[in-house]
Amino acid sequence: MLNPKATPDSPVEEQPVIGLIGMGEMGRMYAKHLSNAGWKKLHVCDLPQKYDALQRDFKNVPGIIVMKDGHQVSRSSDFIMYSVEAEYIDKAVRQFGPSTKIGAVVAGQTSVKAPEKVAFETHLPEDVHIVSCHSLHGPTVSPLGQPL
């Protein structure tokens, strides 16, 4: 059973599934840091044409499972981070949002929050939780100790 107080040291069955939709620079940075921190259930995806390369890039990275698309990530994840550019957030959430797991927490990493807010409120099911955040760092700066 999922433990709401789980840490990377918790038994794997108590850890949440963390989903990352969008594996550009920010998505890759978070995937690597979460893996290095010890989280064991990271489901990630990117555009279909990037699937094979993503599989190769993360083949030996502990805890990371590359999935074919955002539907698979959304259905399986307890926490989902959309890490796509603001101009594509509506399209991504419209496509994958309806597949979101009941009770999941959904967040976004867009730099412009207004389109993200509209996309989440329009396309996500009512039985999910939206948490908006914005990293005050980029993909070349470690997120350790940085505010969200």
Side-chain angles (χ1 to χ4, degrees):
M1 172 178 265
L2 183 66
N3 177 354
K5 295 182 181 183
T7 69
D9 296 322
S10 297
V12 68
E13 63 273 5
E14 293 182 12
Q15 290 190 20
V17 175
I18 300 170
L20 300 172
I21 296 176
M23 290 295 285
E25 291 181 15
M26 290 295 284
R28 286 172 176 266
M29 180 204 61
Y30 276 108
K32 289 175 185 173
H33 278 283
L34 290 165
S35 172
N36 290 340
W39 292 104
K40 295 168 185 69
K41 298 191 291 188
L42 305 167
H43 293 184
V44 305
C45 73
D46 206 334
L47 298 170
Q49 62 269 28
K50 296 182 180 181
Y51 176 74
D52 291 334
L54 206 57
Q55 285 270 71
R56 283 190 304 274
D57 292 349
F58 289 94
K59 182 179 180 180
N60 296 314
V61 181
I64 295 181
I65 299 170
V66 176
M67 310 201 88
K68 289 232 180 238
D69 60 34
H71 293 294
Q72 292 180 338
V73 172
S74 293
R75 292 302 298 156
S76 63
S77 300
D78 302 296
F79 174 83
I80 302 161
M81 175 70 74
Y82 280 84
S83 194
V84 300
E85 296 174 16
E87 64 185 293
Y88 303 116
I89 190 70
D90 187 75
K91 181 180 179 183
V93 180
R94 183 177 349 112
Q95 184 175 4
F96 303 125
S99 296
T100 304
K101 183 178 181 178
I102 293 172
V105 175
V106 182
Q109 276 290 312
T110 60
S111 57
V112 182
K113 299 319 265 182
E116 179 182 288
K117 179 182 185 297
V118 170
F120 284 172
E121 290 176 349
T122 302
H123 304 299
L124 291 175
E126 292 184 11
D127 54 9
V128 304
H129 308 280
I130 299 169
V131 177
S132 187
C133 64
H134 181 65
S135 302
L136 297 178
H137 59 86
T140 60
V141 175
S142 172
L144 300 176
Q146 299 292 333
L148 287 178

